[in-house]
Amino acid sequence: MKLFNKILIANRGEVAVRIILACQKLHIATVAVYSDADKHSPFVKMADEAIHIGESPAKDSYLNQAKILQAALASGADAIHPGFGFLSENPDFAQQCQSANLKFIGPSPDTMVLMSSKSASKELVGSLDLPVIPGLANPAQDLDSLFSAAKQIGFPVLIKASAGGGGMGMRVVNSEDEFTNALSATKQEAINAFGNDHMLVEKYFQKVRHIEVQLLCDQHGKALHCYERECSIQRRRQKVVEEAPASSISEKLREEICAASVKIAQAVKYQGLGTVEFMVEEGTDKFYFLEMNTRLQVEHGITEKITGLDLVSLQI
């Protein structure tokens, strides 16, 4: 059964090519959108149709929701695949797709809103009796309350933006003397990057492993994990190397982390591809929930290599 006749790809470059290849495999027509800069790009030529949506700056093209929706409706597409980046985790865009009777290939807007907040998602996971990083998920935001929380947790602590991501909006604070300046700088960075300076205060662990679990979920409450990837090698909190399967964890821990990921996905009624990230204390089997990425990830290809699954086709 063909679910869609035509999918508009609200993205560019490599991920647009990847989605086109999946659609070709599924015999679904594709519509590319492109800016001035991408007029001669391979993904534009590969798609069945291509629609120009604006000038080169992303705000005038790939982030312009109105132009993308207009292109989808004009082309007769019945679904939009956002890829990763740009509008892929924008609940307002997902809601607008629904309102226009276009299927957004991703989770529901409500799920995106819940899991995009580090404080709300941490509270949810804690309510499932799953381990979260010691700290306050939703502390009062005045300086005295945040400082008091840090002292209660014990230094070093990590202060980070609830709306943060991509390694931005977070700082390690090693002592009480550093706290005020670090908080001020982190709040300013969060305002500039995310327009939101709500902060969390958590225990900072010196030696950890970063493990993420790939999930595949349907619209009927079923969730499968596709095992884990390790992304502990990072620079400025940006992943540099990913390894799958993770060689640093035991089989018992692998089973526990993967089961926890499925439990989280089912609790938020997740649908599509998603990734749950955890921190593991090095040399132990203690793990803690970090966040959930509510989209297709750049790193999905690594999981495809070890499982033989075509995750993008399955997502569609």
Side-chain angles (χ1 to χ4, degrees):
M1 180 182 69
K2 188 192 293 187
L3 295 176
F4 306 114
N5 293 309
K6 186 183 292 186
I7 293 176
L8 181 136
I9 302 161
N11 218 299
R12 64 184 295 276
E14 182 272 335
V15 68
V17 170
R18 177 69 185 87
I19 296 165
I20 291 169
L21 291 173
C23 288
Q24 289 175 345
K25 179 179 176 180
L26 297 170
H27 305 291
I28 298 172
T30 54
V31 183
V33 293
Y34 65 94
S35 70
D36 290 345
D38 288 322
K39 183 177 181 180
H40 301 294
S41 293
F43 77 93
V44 176
K45 299 174 183 177
M46 286 178 63
D48 296 296
E49 301 174 46
I51 298 175
H52 178 257
I53 55 166
E55 298 176 359
S56 298
K59 66 180 178 62
D60 299 322
S61 50
Y62 300 107
L63 289 173
N64 190 313
Q65 299 182 34
K67 287 184 178 179
I68 291 172
L69 289 167
Q70 183 180 5
L73 294 171
S75 67
D78 43 15
I80 292 182
H81 197 308
F84 45 69
F86 292 136
L87 298 171
S88 62
E89 292 183 282
N90 187 311
D92 177 60
F93 180 64
Q95 185 61 60
Q96 288 196 55
C97 289
Q98 284 189 9
S99 299
N101 202 28
L102 293 163
K103 177 64 180 176
F104 178 85
I105 299 178
S108 70
D110 289 343
T111 299
M112 268 194 273
V113 169
L114 174 61
M115 301 313 285
S116 68
S117 167
K118 287 181 170 58
S119 56
S121 61
K122 184 175 180 179
E123 289 178 344
L124 170 83
V125 172
S127 73
L128 300 174
D129 292 325
L130 294 173
V132 296
I133 299 172
L136 296 182
N138 196 21
Q141 292 297 295
D142 60 281
L143 172 61
D144 288 344
S145 296
L146 291 169
F147 185 47
S148 176
K151 288 193 294 183
Q152 182 180 343
I153 295 164
F155 291 90
V157 299
L158 182 69
I159 50 177
K160 64 181 182 182
S162 178
M168 299 180 66
M170 61 177 68
R171 275 176 177 73
V172 177
V173 186
N174 292 298
S175 68
E176 294 183 14
D177 294 340
E178 299 175 13
F179 188 83
T180 300
N181 288 339
L183 177 63
S184 177
T186 309
K187 277 181 168 285
Q188 187 59 54
E189 183 178 291
I191 281 288
N192 293 339
F194 314 113
N196 183 338
D197 66 351
H198 188 279
M199 292 288 131
L200 288 73
V201 183
E202 296 178 340
K203 181 66 179 174
Y204 179 71
F205 294 92
Q206 301 282 0
K207 293 183 178 181
V208 296
R209 294 283 183 170
H210 194 131
I211 306 294
E212 59 188 25
V213 177
Q214 178 68 64
L215 291 165
L216 178 65
C217 310
D218 68 14
Q219 298 180 73
H220 309 287
K222 296 188 181 70
L224 298 174
H225 71 78
C226 304
Y227 299 98
E228 82 291 343
R229 303 183 289 258
E230 177 165 356
C231 44
S232 301
I233 300 175
Q234 300 184 8
R235 181 174 183 269
R236 296 177 182 173
R237 300 189 179 88
Q238 291 286 308
K239 302 166 189 175
V240 176
V241 174
E242 295 231 359
E243 179 186 4
S247 60
S248 65
I249 62 174
S250 66
E251 188 60 36
K252 174 178 176 290
L253 182 56
R254 174 176 290 110
E255 291 176 1
E256 289 179 358
I257 286 179
C258 290
S261 301
V262 169
K263 188 173 183 179
I264 292 167
Q266 290 178 321
V268 299
K269 297 181 173 62
Y270 198 84
Q271 62 182 38
L273 292 181
T275 303
V276 182
E277 300 192 8
F278 298 92
M279 186 179 73
V280 178
E281 280 192 74
E282 198 165 298
T284 77
D285 275 353
K286 294 180 179 178
F287 68 95
Y288 306 95
F289 168 79
L290 278 177
E291 64 182 355
M292 184 174 193
N293 298 302
T294 55
R295 54 173 163 79
L296 169 71
Q297 276 196 294
V298 177
E299 305 90 338
H300 74 276
I302 300 166
T303 296
E304 290 184 323
K305 286 291 186 182
I306 68 163
T307 61
L309 297 173
D310 181 339
L311 290 176
V312 181
S313 292
L314 289 168
Q315 179 189 28
I316 294 170

